[in-house]
């Protein structure tokens, strides 16, 4: 437990920030899962509509990752790695389709 008023306040601020950061990280994970599901659907049935859904999910995930990096919730390298993983998942599918 905190011994001083300032330490108590810092503990409260840290808890508030932890909860705020948790919502962002959770949203990033959810959007990544939705993207992976969209890629699976596109793999099973490559139609223009499913490809459009994949691109929309990728855009949403990229946006949320970039916002989390901008706010300091994710380290820039962590955000770049997540975006790279998303792109890497789709790359072999789009190359074979062309």
């Amino acid at each position: 437990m905190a011994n001083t008023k300032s330490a108590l306040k810092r503990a409260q601020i840290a808890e508030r920030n932890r909860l705020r950061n948790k919502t962002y990280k959770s949203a990033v994970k959810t959007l990544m899962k939705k993207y992976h599901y969209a890629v699976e659907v596109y793999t099973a049935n490559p139609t223009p509509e499913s490809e459009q859904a994949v691109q929309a999910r990728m855009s949403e995930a990229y946006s949320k990752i970039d916002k989390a990096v901008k706010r300091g919730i994710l380290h820039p390298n962590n955000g770049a790695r997540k975006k790279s993983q998303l792109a890497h998942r789709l790359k072999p599918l789009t190359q074979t389709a062309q």
Side-chain angles (χ1 to χ4, degrees), residues 69 74-83:
V69 168
L74 294 177
H75 189 277
N77 290 354
N78 188 318
R81 186 175 67 244
K82 288 183 186 303
K83 288 166 53 174

Side-chain angles (χ1 to χ4, degrees), residues 4-82:
T4 62
K5 286 176 88 174
S6 60
L8 179 64
K9 183 174 180 180
R10 290 305 304 169
Q12 291 170 341
I13 291 171
E15 179 64 15
R16 180 190 69 204
N17 292 344
R18 183 187 70 82
L19 294 173
R20 187 178 300 145
N21 294 347
K22 185 178 175 183
T23 60
Y24 257 90
K25 288 182 180 183
S26 175
V28 167
K29 288 178 188 176
T30 300
L31 289 173
M32 288 181 73
K33 286 179 187 176
K34 287 182 179 180
Y35 169 78
H36 290 305
Y37 177 74
V39 170
E40 287 178 17
V41 170
Y42 177 67
T43 304
N45 186 14
T47 62
E49 293 83 20
S50 60
E51 184 179 4
Q52 197 172 26
V54 167
Q55 294 299 331
R57 297 288 185 207
M58 180 185 257
S59 176
E60 290 172 3
Y62 272 28
S63 176
K64 187 60 88 169
I65 291 168
D66 287 338
K67 286 178 184 175
V69 168
K70 182 176 79 172
R71 287 175 169 81
I73 295 164
L74 294 177
H75 189 277
N77 290 354
N78 188 318
R81 186 175 67 244
K82 288 183 186 303

